[in-house]
Amino acid sequence: MAVEVKYVVIREGEEKMSFASKKEADAYDKMLDLAEVLGDWLATGPVALEDNVRDEMALWLAEQKEALNGILKSGKLPGAETEDAAPADSSAAETADAVDIKTAAKRVKVA
């Protein structure tokens, strides 16, 4: 007979996920805590989101924590350094349809 140890993450009486190690279970629980905080923060934002959409967005942001931290620190998407070396004619076509975030933010502030 085999004995198996499982670490189960339970939220509001519902089993969310089970893991073989305590470390993985703790990391997942911490990610769910972050998603909850992000969901509350998103609710205070200027864009009205339905509850289920806000919860999905908060969970996705929490799952993408490392990428989000990198973006906030550098101001660039992960892997953006390799995109800078793209041919000039392909980026010129993309630039025509692109919106400059800084310019858009200034327009919003002025309006």
Side-chain angles (χ1 to χ4, degrees), residues 7-63:
Y7 295 90
V8 181
V9 177
I10 299 173
R11 290 284 176 129
E12 299 173 5
E14 182 182 334
E15 183 178 322
K16 295 294 185 178
M17 187 84 73
S18 62
F19 298 90
S21 76
K22 183 175 182 347
K23 183 178 178 180
E24 290 175 326
D26 286 341
Y28 187 77
D29 188 48
K30 188 174 180 180
M31 192 259 316
L32 290 178
D33 287 340
L34 178 59
E36 188 174 324
V37 171
L38 287 169
D40 293 342
W41 179 68
L42 287 171
T44 66
V47 178
L49 299 171
E50 293 181 23
D51 288 346
N52 62 337
V53 173
R54 186 177 62 240
D55 291 345
E56 285 182 42
M57 177 62 77
L59 185 59
W60 182 77
L61 287 170
E63 290 170 347

Side-chain angles (χ1 to χ4, degrees), residues 80-100:
E81 301 82 39
T82 59
E83 292 177 11
D84 291 339
D89 45 324
S90 67
S91 63
E94 293 172 8
T95 309
D97 294 333
V99 175
D100 182 11

